[in-house]
Amino acid sequence: MPESMRKLVFMDSGIGGIPYLRWVRERRPGWEYIYIADNLFFPYGGRNTEELTARLTELTGQVNELYQPDIVVLACNTASVTALSHLRNTFSMPFVGVVPAVKPATEGHSVGKIGVLATRGTVEGSYLKELIRKFAGDRDVVDPLAAPDLVRFVEKEFIHADEAGIRGIVMPYLREAEKREWTYMVLGCTHFLFLRPWFEKWKHPGLTIVDSTEGVGKRILSLLEKDNMTEADDECCRGRTRFLLTAPKGAEEYAALVQREKMELHYLEEKQL
């Protein structure tokens, strides 16, 4: 592998982490990417802490054995808030996690409330509560809201949905945001990033949409780049991008996305990959 090339693994229960991979790949097309969609355990939002931590530990061990990645991106808010510390203590490679963008929202906040759309596990878990305490203090300005139907829609229906279908799933949350007087809407689940253009299109003028894509992407680059590496190093070629499912069942649901994103579809148990 050339010195300037890096091997990155992105892990999620489904396709939610694709926007993070896309952000990095657009800037470093010559690197090698492995995306793990753990469809066998989808969705992570309904799993308890012990079950999810054990699953992610098992997956990371497999990934490390097969690919020896330079970095693992835990591209799922629920997985990150549940197991990131344990994985960092268990494995030697660096990890990057994703968390709801509460900090930038509170920094820009002036009036109204900050809404956080997330999975039920994130909304009810201690990590989001700690983020709110840390960055909002005793101000009653952060309003979490679980949106499990958005996760399933993005995973199972979005790639084939028309605008009417997307509007039907997005508008109830925009109406709820207006009812609750949100001035910021934090997309606190990676799956929701696919819906951001439509949230932006149909939101009321006083609502600002916030997510963590750019912040996470910049963190990944800062950990992997060497002082003498520039973007031009990657212009000569495009690296390989694999999309791995953990179960063959339902693979046809992902075919259109895999083709659109110029990835190769495989299964994690295929050891030769």
Side-chain angles (χ1 to χ4, degrees), residues 78-98:
T78 300
S80 296
V81 302
T82 301
L84 185 58
S85 295
H86 174 79
L87 295 176
R88 283 173 170 163
N89 290 331
T90 304
F91 299 95
S92 59
M93 80 282 276
F95 288 83
V96 170
V98 301

Side-chain angles (χ1 to χ4, degrees), residues 6-39:
R6 296 289 180 264
K7 187 182 293 183
L8 292 73
V9 166
F10 292 74
M11 294 170 57
D12 186 23
S13 63
I15 65 173
I18 293 292
Y20 296 95
L21 182 152
R22 186 189 296 150
W23 192 97
V24 178
R25 192 172 64 168
E26 285 175 355
R27 290 155 180 82
R28 296 295 181 267
W31 289 358
E32 186 174 354
Y33 300 91
I34 300 100
Y35 187 93
I36 311 294
D38 188 13
N39 60 322

Side-chain angles (χ1 to χ4, degrees), residues 4-271:
S4 63
M5 182 180 285
R6 296 289 180 264
K7 187 182 293 183
L8 292 73
V9 166
F10 292 74
M11 294 170 57
D12 186 23
S13 63
I15 65 173
I18 293 292
Y20 296 95
L21 182 152
R22 186 189 296 150
W23 192 97
V24 178
R25 192 172 64 168
E26 285 175 355
R27 290 155 180 82
R28 296 295 181 267
W31 289 358
E32 186 174 354
Y33 300 91
I34 300 100
Y35 187 93
I36 311 294
D38 188 13
N39 60 322
L40 183 63
F41 263 56
F42 175 86
Y44 282 167
R47 304 286 179 175
N48 65 50
T49 297
E50 293 75 17
E51 182 183 26
L52 183 52
T53 299
R55 176 59 174 176
L56 290 167
T57 302
E58 176 190 10
L59 274 182
T60 303
Q62 288 181 267
V63 164
N64 190 38
E65 179 183 351
L66 287 171
Y67 302 111
Q68 298 82 52
D70 294 296
I71 197 167
V72 173
V73 182
L74 212 55
C76 168
N77 288 273
T78 300
S80 296
V81 302
T82 301
L84 185 58
S85 295
H86 174 79
L87 295 176
R88 283 173 170 163
N89 290 331
T90 304
F91 299 95
S92 59
M93 80 282 276
F95 288 83
V96 170
V98 301
V99 297
V102 172
K103 180 181 179 181
T106 54
E107 288 173 344
H109 176 264
S110 56
V111 295
K113 287 193 173 184
I114 300 166
V116 181
L117 288 185
T119 65
R120 194 168 305 282
T122 297
V123 166
E124 296 176 355
S126 61
Y127 194 94
L128 179 59
K129 293 180 176 66
E130 178 60 22
L131 279 180
I132 294 170
R133 186 204 63 77
K134 181 176 180 180
F135 295 114
D138 59 359
R139 296 180 300 155
D140 184 23
V141 298
V142 184
D143 185 18
L145 179 63
D149 56 332
L150 292 185
V151 180
R152 291 194 174 276
F153 177 82
V154 170
E155 189 73 18
K156 304 297 184 182
E157 301 178 43
F158 172 75
I159 193 66
H160 302 295
D162 59 16
E163 186 163 281
I166 296 172
R167 185 178 178 87
I169 199 78
V170 164
M171 284 306 299
Y173 289 99
L174 289 175
R175 287 193 287 267
E176 188 68 17
E178 191 165 11
K179 176 183 174 183
R180 296 184 181 211
E181 300 182 328
W182 290 357
T183 50
Y184 285 84
M185 177 186 282
V186 177
L187 302 182
C189 171
T190 57
H191 279 76
F192 302 168
L193 301 182
F194 284 90
L195 298 173
R196 177 164 182 165
W198 286 273
F199 277 116
E200 295 279 5
K201 180 176 181 178
W202 296 316
K203 71 181 180 65
H204 65 81
L207 182 65
T208 298
I209 311 296
V210 183
D211 69 53
S212 61
T213 309
E214 183 174 355
V216 171
K218 288 181 176 180
R219 176 60 177 163
I220 294 168
L221 294 184
S222 72
L223 289 172
L224 291 179
E225 289 182 325
K226 294 190 175 181
D227 294 338
N228 63 351
M229 184 178 176
T230 66
E231 293 190 23
D233 291 331
D234 290 320
E235 292 300 319
C236 66
C237 53
R238 177 169 292 277
R240 184 180 184 186
T241 303
R242 302 174 181 89
F243 180 91
L244 276 70
L245 295 170
T246 55
K249 183 178 180 180
E252 64 281 356
E253 299 174 2
Y254 300 94
L257 176 72
V258 168
Q259 182 177 22
R260 188 183 73 186
E261 298 290 336
K262 296 180 171 60
M263 300 185 290
E264 305 170 12
L265 177 62
H266 300 288
Y267 305 103
L268 187 58
E269 64 267 21
E270 296 178 11
K271 301 295 186 181

